[in-house]
Amino acid sequence: MKHYDEHARQRLVPEPPKRVDAPIRTPFERDRARVVHAAASRRLAAKTQVVGPQSDDFVRNRLTHSLEVAQVARDLARALGCQPDIAETAALAHDLGHPPFGHNGERALDLAAKNIGGFEGNAQTLRLLTRLEPKSVDPATGASVGLNLTRATLDASIKYPWRESATPLRADGRPTRKFGVYDDDLEVFAWLREGAPEERTCIEEQVMDWSDDVAYSVHDFEDAVHSRIASLDVFGSRDERRALVEVAHERFPDSGEIAELAEALARLVALDYWPTRFDGSMTDLVALKRFT
């Protein structure tokens, strides 16, 4: 806590600690509890990660995915010396604004809302945290301030610290497209970003973002194998691996050249704990979990 001053701990609406003499929880621990108990968190249980939650009781949904991201983020934050509670809370909140049906749902909502500013899941997360969740109100105006989280926690929840009309360009000149705040929420955005470098995110956000990549990269593969969407047999075929690499390069051209991707896949398949078969037996479940 020593590196996080009063500015970082400030809330939109001041709230004294429950016990002034000896506060039981830090402000960042209170933030975490608020996100855990939020209705938006419970709604994540009905949102698909890879496989529909109604089709298999093994696979992840958006809620269980967020819990796994939070675990990775907390351990990384502790190892790196930043604030574990802030990183964990940002991880728990990172998908709150994303709709059902994944990116297809996001595109459909954006199309339906074009004449009122569109829809973006990350900007919706900020709106949920600062306006829509019924936790706190501003006594001066009667307006909702959402969960009334600290400035540091809100800042860590912002993956794209800019509005739609100010999205920066990628290194290759393409637009970023993603943004983190609707124009209607610029006032609270300016408050939470006060003193922060423009277009740069704090270390806890970077930990959260990387933890998200780690978590879904491994558990999406596990879910796909368990649900028979992906077959491990194809990795034993050089032609199939080549086809996979070509698809990966086409979908994600920034990930490297085809030869580099092929070498990376070959190293992965050569690992001692790479699963070579899966028939749903306990032995294969254990092997798949060890790999994950």
Side-chain angles (χ1 to χ4, degrees):
M1 286 286 290
K2 64 180 181 180
H3 299 297
Y4 300 82
D5 57 15
E6 190 60 35
H7 180 79
R9 297 191 296 270
Q10 188 178 5
R11 302 180 189 276
L12 264 172
V13 174
E15 293 183 18
K18 299 295 177 67
R19 288 181 56 186
V20 179
D21 55 336
I24 297 174
R25 295 180 297 172
T26 69
F28 304 138
E29 289 171 337
R30 293 174 70 184
D31 286 348
R32 180 189 180 280
R34 292 180 184 196
V35 171
V36 167
H37 288 276
S41 293
R42 295 193 295 277
R43 285 195 290 269
L44 290 175
K47 298 180 183 180
T48 298
Q49 182 63 24
V50 171
V51 182
Q54 73 284 349
S55 63
D56 192 325
D57 62 3
F58 173 88
V59 299
R60 277 83 170 176
N61 54 49
R62 287 275 177 165
L63 177 58
T64 55
H65 159 68
S66 296
L67 293 173
E68 295 184 19
V69 176
Q71 180 272 315
V72 176
R74 186 172 189 87
D75 284 353
L76 271 179
R78 187 186 295 110
L80 293 172
C82 56
Q83 226 293 335
D85 290 315
I86 295 176
E88 183 179 7
T89 303
L92 290 169
H94 83 281
D95 267 352
L96 293 183
H98 287 252
F101 309 110
H103 294 300
N104 289 332
E106 194 170 16
R107 284 190 288 268
L109 284 173
D110 183 45
L111 183 62
K114 272 301 181 187
N115 63 336
I116 55 171
F119 180 88
E120 216 294 322
N122 295 282
Q124 189 70 12
T125 293
L126 178 62
R127 178 164 291 185
L128 279 163
L129 295 175
T130 59
R131 287 175 59 180
L132 298 184
E133 273 294 322
K135 169 66 179 176
S136 302
V137 295
D138 184 344
T141 64
S144 171
V145 290
L147 297 180
N148 200 30
L149 303 179
T150 62
R151 176 183 274 111
T153 297
L154 285 174
D155 192 27
S157 302
I158 302 291
K159 291 179 66 172
Y160 307 101
W162 49 76
R163 61 200 290 191
E164 184 179 23
S165 60
T167 53
L169 298 178
R170 300 174 189 263
D172 60 4
R174 292 181 299 160
T176 307
R177 291 191 295 184
K178 292 286 189 179
F179 60 96
V181 56
Y182 297 124
D183 287 351
D184 285 353
D185 298 325
L186 284 174
E187 184 176 350
V188 68
F189 178 77
W191 173 83
L192 71 92
R193 292 288 294 171
E194 187 177 306
E198 187 175 354
E199 294 184 6
R200 282 185 57 189
T201 57
C202 65
I203 183 63
E204 287 87 3
E205 186 285 328
Q206 295 174 49
V207 167
M208 173 269 284
D209 198 15
W210 200 78
S211 300
D212 184 27
D213 288 351
V214 170
Y216 75 66
S217 294
V218 294
H219 72 45
D220 284 2
F221 179 79
E222 181 183 1
D223 285 356
V225 171
H226 185 277
S227 302
R228 309 299 202 276
I229 294 174
S231 171
L232 292 170
D233 294 339
V234 302
F235 294 99
S237 164
R238 180 169 298 180
D239 290 340
E240 291 282 6
R241 290 206 301 268
R242 173 74 182 186
L244 175 61
V245 165
E246 290 175 352
V247 170
H249 183 263
E250 179 183 350
R251 297 279 183 88
F252 307 101
D254 297 336
S255 61
E257 297 300 323
I258 287 182
E260 294 174 318
L261 294 175
E263 290 174 8
L265 181 57
R267 291 195 302 272
L268 188 65
V269 175
L271 292 173
D272 291 340
Y273 45 84
W274 174 267
T276 57
R277 45 161 286 174
F278 183 81
D279 63 9
S281 67
M282 180 59 70
T283 300
D284 286 356
L285 284 167
V286 170
L288 186 60
K289 179 58 68 177
R290 285 183 61 206
F291 173 73
T292 301

